[in-house]
Amino acid sequence: MHIHVSVQNQIFRCPRCGNSNFPGIDVTQPFICPVIGCRTAIDPTRLPPVLPDPVIEHPAVKHNQPLGTATDPFIYERDANGEWSISGIHGNPEELTVPAIASGRIITVIAPRAFAGLRQLRRVTLPDTIAIIGEDAFASCTSLEKISFGAGLTVLEKGCMRCCSALQEIVLPEKVQLIGPEAFSLCTKLQCVSMGDSIRMIGEEAFLSCINLTQVSCRRAPDNIAATAFSGCFLNPEAEAALFPAP
């Protein structure tokens, strides 16, 4: 089966942090990624283009079908960079599985506050296409017990899962590079966190007052950890040694 992908515009994504927003930068010339904590040198001539709004010609897709259907509870939006995001949901579900593709559009972002305050939500599964979880996206989902991140996740923005007080374990995919400020603050039942080798920055108060967090596993210490990232936590010696190795 052949799948044809057509687009009107092309953009580029930083190969390290996943950012595709370069305001005021001439992306036809080599430049530096503006994301704090990344600052990667980018040569656009050596990067494949990101296809922000692919229309996939497939027998199962109706070309003129709007995003979302009568049976699809999710709310979709397109940002200034051409990325499609999920910005909300109708109803108050206990479980949700975020789609990778909706009506031929690849979903790459969970928008800010998309699912904030869904107090009955218990389980979430994200697809591999999701690269960014926006600010306060799951904040105050106080019944959320488990979230399965997709392999493509690179950025967890500020407060994205703050006050998820039922979470006990977090397993971050290998590509995650940034844990934003207050990302998991006040997750008071959180006990263990597993990180990959790609973590470059853990922001201010990222795990503030996670009073039961004792285990943090990582094969390589993050490049930058804010002084208050683990305030109010009681990490075991192994976790402290992994995060803050002796010089």
Side-chain angles (χ1 to χ4, degrees):
M1 179 180 295
H2 297 284
I3 297 178
H4 172 69
V5 179
S6 62
V7 295
Q8 295 180 341
N9 299 301
Q10 294 181 345
I11 59 175
F12 293 93
R13 189 189 300 281
C14 175
R16 302 197 71 176
C17 72
N19 175 54
S20 61
N21 185 18
F22 307 111
I25 295 176
D26 180 4
V27 296
T28 64
Q29 303 294 327
F31 61 94
I32 301 296
C33 178
V35 174
I36 296 173
C38 181
R39 307 299 190 192
T40 299
I42 299 174
D43 182 351
T45 64
R46 297 187 178 183
L47 290 179
V50 173
L51 307 181
D53 184 20
V55 178
I56 302 175
E57 295 180 3
H58 188 285
V61 175
K62 297 178 181 178
H63 293 288
N64 296 320
Q65 180 182 4
L67 287 188
T69 65
T71 59
D72 184 351
F74 294 103
I75 302 169
Y76 303 90
E77 290 184 359
R78 186 183 185 187
D79 66 19
N81 297 315
E83 304 276 0
W84 282 99
S85 67
I86 286 183
S87 60
I89 190 170
H90 298 291
N92 191 9
E94 291 189 8
E95 298 189 16
L96 62 84
T97 299
V98 172
I101 297 176
S103 299
R105 272 71 172 184
I106 297 174
I107 309 303
T108 59
V109 179
I110 304 296
R113 300 196 60 79
F115 304 112
L118 294 181
R119 297 185 182 274
Q120 294 187 55
L121 186 61
R122 299 171 63 89
R123 299 176 67 88
V124 172
T125 302
L126 301 181
D128 292 345
T129 59
I130 296 295
I132 299 172
I133 299 179
E135 183 171 344
D136 288 328
F138 292 94
S140 298
C141 292
T142 53
S143 297
L144 184 59
E145 298 173 347
K146 181 176 178 59
I147 180 165
S148 298
F149 301 106
L153 184 64
T154 59
V155 175
L156 294 153
E157 293 189 345
K158 182 179 180 180
C160 62
M161 303 197 70
R162 76 173 105 212
C163 298
C164 290
S165 52
L167 272 177
Q168 297 186 39
E169 181 180 11
I170 288 292
V171 179
L172 296 177
E174 185 65 34
K175 291 183 179 180
V176 171
Q177 302 218 3
L178 172 66
I179 301 175
E182 304 171 46
F184 296 97
S185 62
L186 297 170
C187 292
T188 52
K189 289 187 178 180
L190 187 62
Q191 299 177 24
C192 55
V193 174
S194 176
M195 305 178 186
D197 290 347
S198 300
I199 295 286
R200 297 179 58 79
M201 175 173 286
I202 302 178
E204 297 284 347
E205 301 182 350
F207 294 92
L208 174 69
S209 295
C210 293
I211 56 176
N212 284 296
L213 179 60
T214 58
Q215 302 177 49
V216 178
S217 61
C218 54
R219 295 185 296 272
R220 185 183 68 84
D223 296 340
N224 296 285
I225 302 177
T228 59
F230 292 92
S231 293
C233 300
F234 301 93
L235 301 178
N236 61 30
E238 292 80 7
E240 289 195 6
L243 291 167
F244 309 101

